[in-house]
Amino acid sequence: MIKYFLFIFFALIPVTAKANPGDMPAEQQMAIQYIQAITDHDYRTLASFYNRDSVFVDRTASKEYKGRRDILEFFERAHRGVLEYDFNIEHMYNSGSLVVMIGNYHYRGPGSLFGKPGKVIELAIPGVTTVQLDLANHRVKEHEDLMDYQTMQDQLATQ
């Protein structure tokens, strides 16, 4: 009887040890919703994350945008003509309201944006995205991207 009980107990451990999305910290859940709105080009949802004090910084490209309107205009310009765009998050953690996401941005779109007209370009760019959140008001205070543009240049050279 005890052997049977132990067998059942140890057989169920892996099932109960798996994390559910609801077990993820609220900050990480909000960060994923935010990134999903960006990669889906869902500007209505994206607008709900910003206010006039929100800041988007692309540190590697030395660009900064402040306020809902400027940030949305930037993303609308950046997404023009894009066929596919997503962020494969390989690792994510948070310290309070600061969420850090490490992964690869995948892009498929017109080569004309990169000086290669008539081609479809596919890129996988390693990057780190951080978001500083105001969880109580469901707002992004600051979004910062650090992208490996050298890898992007190397990929473009072969296409």
Side-chain angles (χ1 to χ4, degrees):
M1 182 71 171
I2 291 177
K3 287 182 182 178
Y4 181 73
F5 174 76
L6 289 175
F7 175 76
I8 298 293
F9 176 76
F10 287 115
L12 291 177
I13 287 177
V15 173
T16 59
K18 291 181 183 177
N20 295 316
D23 296 338
M24 186 182 296
E27 293 85 358
Q28 291 182 22
Q29 290 179 40
M30 183 175 158
I32 288 173
Q33 292 168 357
Y34 171 67
I35 292 297
Q36 192 67 50
I38 291 173
T39 59
D40 286 348
H41 308 188
D42 182 353
Y43 303 113
R44 181 180 300 258
T45 299
L46 199 53
S48 72
F49 284 100
Y50 301 128
N51 62 22
R52 75 178 92 206
D53 297 321
S54 297
V55 177
F56 170 76
V57 180
D58 184 344
R59 175 109 23 232
T60 317
S62 301
K63 300 281 185 185
E64 181 174 306
Y65 303 90
K66 186 170 183 182
R68 176 184 293 134
R69 187 184 71 217
D70 287 347
I71 297 170
L72 289 173
E73 285 176 0
F74 164 75
F75 280 123
E76 287 172 358
R77 278 193 317 273
H79 293 159
R80 223 172 263 139
V82 172
L83 303 172
E84 294 175 22
Y85 178 60
D86 70 326
F87 184 39
N88 178 28
I89 300 170
E90 296 169 3
H91 188 69
M92 177 171 53
Y93 61 91
N94 69 294
S95 177
S97 62
L98 175 66
V99 180
V100 178
M101 296 166 278
I102 302 166
N104 284 285
Y105 282 92
H106 296 273
Y107 167 87
R108 186 170 173 265
S112 58
L113 297 175
F114 299 97
K116 297 185 179 263
K119 290 187 170 190
V120 173
I121 299 295
E122 294 193 42
L123 302 168
I125 307 167
V128 176
T129 292
T130 63
V131 289
Q132 183 73 45
L133 303 171
D134 175 353
L135 199 59
N137 295 306
H138 198 72
R139 296 288 185 264
V140 172
K141 291 181 181 179
E142 183 173 295
H143 169 169
E144 183 173 3
D145 282 340
L146 295 161
M147 311 296 280
D148 183 352
Y149 287 117
Q150 183 58 53
T151 296
M152 181 180 81
Q153 291 300 325
D154 293 346
Q155 291 175 23
L156 285 169
T158 64
Q159 296 187 49

